[in-house]
Amino acid sequence: MKQKQHGFWDDVKKYRSLLLMLVPAVLFFLLFAYIPMSGIILAFKQYDYTGGVFGSPWNGWDNFKFFFNSGDAWRVTRNTALYNIAFIVVNNVVQIFAAILLFEVAGKWFRKITQTVLFLPYFISWVVVGAIAYNLFNFDVGTINVLLKGLGMQPVDIYNTAAYWPVILVVVSAWKTLGYGTIMYLAAITSIDTEMYEAAEIDGANIFQRIMKITVPNLMPTVIILVLLAIGNVFRGDFGMFYNMVGNNGLLFSSTDVIDTFVFRSLTTSNEIGMSAAAGFYQSLLGFVTIMLANYAVRKYDKDRALF
Amino acid sequence: MILSIIGYVTLTVLAIFCIFPFILVVSSSLSEESTIIEKGFQIFPSSFSTEAYSLLFKYPEEMLRAYGITISVTAIGTLFGLFLTSMTAYVLSRRDFKWRGRFSFFFFFTTLFSGGLVPWYLMIVNYLHLKDTLLVLILPLLMNVFYIIVMKSFMSSIPDAITESAKIDGAGDFRIFMQLIVPLSKPALATIGLFIALAYWNDWYNALLFISKSELMPLQYYLYKMLGNMDGMRKAMMASGAVVNTDLPTESLKMAMTIVATGPILLAYPFIQKYFVTGLTIGAVKG
């Protein structure tokens, strides 16, 4: 005797309208994320146009060997990680600093105006940032060199000197994200219980003590979570930033080439599809491992904040 | 007292640091070319000229076409993106939906691991055949897992009772979404809509990869092209009927183009900024 079970197809029927509503999103992520994932086999193939992704002959680990023996692998990995670590440290410190100042000293209208101005760079494209950089750093007519010449000093050839770029890129990143982060931290500070401040004031705490003993410790959970989540992306470069700031300037590669620009260049300029697929696969793996580690750390710290 | 003076001074310095480059670009775009060549880009221009702008607007066809592309892509993309994002988020926010966890992970996993640039590129060019189409500027930015998650957490805060009672009244899931959930989610829709619109407006990357026809160039990519290639600018101007035999004021023209391409964002910015702030604040507090 058979008993009718509550099966899979009954659920499909039950949720058919909800499932139907998910169809576009599922299709989207299949087409633009999941099916391309299968393309990682390209990293192990000698790509040719007639064969395509699946018809091209295998060549084992050759693409990886080529990538790691080229001398670029170490350089781009190091640059990507170091830039992101510098961005995380500098951006968060400046943002927290600005948020505390806005909260502590600024009057209402001053706070509003400052917030608006600080947020401005967030809204413009990296192309426009590139144009601004050109305006500042150009050898002949750039503002910085105009100032240096005005002071009787030698102009500096910024676009041809690799050593300047780590500083420039860190400053630009801080500049572009300042408003966004400041608002996030300001929101976190505003949600701190005001009674704590009142009690501290009654006890005669000065502004420094208030900041160090109340604001900063209460911000730490937010900071730690945001930093851990950012660490998960330490091997992902901001392509728009690097590409618009330095473009394909080979003279600067030693200090500006990151995995993303390297992969892009190998794909579009030198057309080394197999090798750039291998480098992309390598980046995805590094990213996956760091996200897992960061998530593990978040989970240890605060279970509710973990990604999964 | 001294502390607040230090605070005000520091914040003012930070604010100047943020706005200074913009002022520099504006004043450069309004300088005479000869002054720039001679003295460089200056904060307070020692000459004034609107020549760069009048040149830009004399033969505006290319620029206007780029504007048209960007505006249509932004409008279509934001509309569909917002609709699909919120619809997906609604299903994932339904606590009675048995597979919500599985589908959430299906979407979320794409942020953990990807095939990388090359397979994605080949998929779009060789298999979907989207190169040099308007669709390639719209589709890749249509949905973003982060926006779905933000929207989902907002919708989760809408009481279940609303969905329940509507169901008892015989409303279907889609109708509940359109007639009840969407109106209740206006703050989240405004915020995410602005984020999507900004991403479309500032996009140049998809054009860099997939657009080679000049008539499909969006604004930012057009600007990118012109900044790197003033010869292209010259050709474009000649093609649109200009007689350009003398030197173009390239430096001030570059800056004027930057201003024109940024213009709408800068003009709309003070008005939309507060929605961003509200949205970010909601997101930060809720975590």
Side-chain angles (χ1 to χ4, degrees), chain A residues 6 8 11-12 14-15 17-22 24-26 28-37 39-40 42 47 49 51-54 94 97-98 101-102 105-107 110 112 114-128 130-132 134-136 138 140-143 146-147 171 174-175 178-180 183-184 187-188 191 207-208 233 236 239-241 243-244 260 263-264 267-268 273 276-277 280-281 284-285 287-288 291-292 305 307-308, chain B residues 3-4 6-8 10-12 14-22 24-25 28 36-43 84 87-88 90-92 94 96-99 103 105-124 126-128 130 139-146 148 172-174 177 195 198 201-205 208-209 220-221 223-224 227 251 254-255 258 261-262 265-266 269-270 272-273 276-277 280-281 283-285 287:
Chain A
H6 181 70
F8 175 75
D11 281 335
V12 171
K14 184 177 167 197
Y15 298 122
S17 54
L18 290 179
L19 289 170
L20 221 63
M21 286 163 81
L22 280 180
V26 169
F28 176 85
F29 285 99
L30 276 179
L31 283 180
F32 291 99
Y34 281 97
I35 297 176
M37 275 181 212
I40 53 179
L42 271 175
Y47 187 82
Y49 283 94
V53 175
F54 299 101
V94 180
F97 182 66
L101 282 181
L102 274 178
V105 300
F110 184 82
K112 262 196 175 149
T114 316
Q115 227 179 33
T116 307
V117 173
L118 296 187
F119 211 1
L120 186 59
Y122 180 78
F123 284 80
I124 57 168
S125 75
W126 279 114
V127 179
V128 173
I132 290 174
Y134 173 83
N135 185 312
L136 285 169
N138 183 269
D140 299 312
V141 290
T143 307
V146 171
L147 282 174
V171 171
W175 176 76
L178 180 57
Y180 186 91
I183 285 161
M184 296 262 274
S191 68
I207 188 167
F208 273 124
N233 285 320
R236 291 182 191 172
F239 180 82
M241 171 179 193
Y243 196 74
N244 281 294
D260 301 73
V263 171
F264 174 82
L267 173 71
T268 55
I273 289 182
S276 49
F281 185 30
S284 279
L285 274 183
F288 186 70
I291 289 177
M292 287 305 182
R305 297 285 196 126
L307 289 168
F308 47 88
Chain B
L3 278 173
S4 54
I6 296 172
Y8 276 108
T10 316
L11 285 172
T12 310
L14 279 178
I16 291 171
F17 171 69
C18 282
I19 207 165
F20 168 78
F22 293 94
L24 208 56
V25 173
S28 306
I36 296 178
I37 300 295
E38 201 181 311
K39 296 179 178 164
F41 294 124
Q42 291 170 308
I43 309 149
L84 295 176
M87 188 164 73
T88 310
Y90 171 63
V91 178
L92 297 180
R94 276 276 293 265
D96 60 326
F97 178 47
K98 195 177 171 184
W99 297 318
F103 276 107
F105 189 77
F106 173 83
F107 298 125
F108 179 68
F109 183 73
T110 60
T111 65
L112 298 180
F113 190 79
S114 79
L117 173 68
V118 180
W120 180 77
Y121 177 87
L122 291 179
M123 176 77 190
I124 288 172
N126 290 356
Y127 294 91
L128 298 174
L130 291 175
L139 283 178
L141 292 174
L142 201 55
M143 269 190 270
N144 173 319
V145 179
F146 174 69
I148 296 177
D173 292 314
F174 187 72
F177 165 68
F195 273 106
L198 191 65
W201 187 276
N202 280 341
D203 179 48
W204 55 280
Y205 182 58
L208 172 76
L209 284 171
Q220 302 299 326
Y221 185 56
L223 175 67
Y224 169 82
L227 288 176
E251 299 303 335
K254 280 179 187 175
M255 295 305 141
T258 307
T262 321
I265 288 278
L266 289 181
Y269 167 69
I272 60 175
Q273 189 240 153
F276 271 89
V277 175
L280 279 175
T281 316
V285 172

Side-chain angles (χ1 to χ4, degrees), chain A residues 197-262:
Chain A
Y197 288 107
E198 283 156 18
E201 211 153 331
I202 292 165
D203 291 343
N206 67 28
I207 188 167
F208 273 124
Q209 288 167 323
R210 246 177 31 218
I211 292 172
M212 296 315 287
K213 295 267 154 61
I214 303 176
T215 312
V216 172
N218 275 291
L219 268 186
M220 278 332 267
T222 314
V223 176
I224 289 170
I225 297 298
L226 288 178
V227 167
L228 286 176
L229 293 179
I231 285 174
N233 285 320
V234 110
F235 290 107
R236 291 182 191 172
D238 189 334
F239 180 82
M241 171 179 193
F242 288 95
Y243 196 74
N244 281 294
M245 294 293 291
V246 290
N248 277 328
N249 188 342
L251 287 169
L252 303 179
F253 283 165
S254 64
S255 72
T256 61
D257 207 13
V258 292
I259 305 178
D260 301 73
T261 46
F262 176 81

Side-chain angles (χ1 to χ4, degrees), chain B residues 222-280:
Chain B
Y222 178 70
L223 175 67
Y224 169 82
K225 279 276 204 200
M226 292 302 136
L227 288 176
N229 178 11
M230 268 292 148
D231 283 338
M233 180 90 203
R234 218 165 271 139
K235 270 180 212 141
M237 291 213 147
M238 282 198 272
S240 54
V243 186
V244 189
N245 42 21
T246 51
D247 285 332
L248 277 177
T250 40
E251 299 303 335
S252 54
L253 197 55
K254 280 179 187 175
M255 295 305 141
M257 285 191 55
T258 307
I259 295 297
V260 174
T262 321
I265 288 278
L266 289 181
L267 292 179
Y269 167 69
F271 305 102
I272 60 175
Q273 189 240 153
K274 66 171 185 227
Y275 292 100
F276 271 89
V277 175
T278 332
L280 279 175

Side-chain angles (χ1 to χ4, degrees), chain B residues 56 59-68 219 222 256-257 260-261:
Chain B
L56 265 187
Y59 304 100
E61 288 87 351
E62 291 256 326
M63 192 92 173
L64 284 181
R65 191 161 55 198
Y67 251 107
L219 195 56
Y222 178 70
M257 285 191 55
V260 174

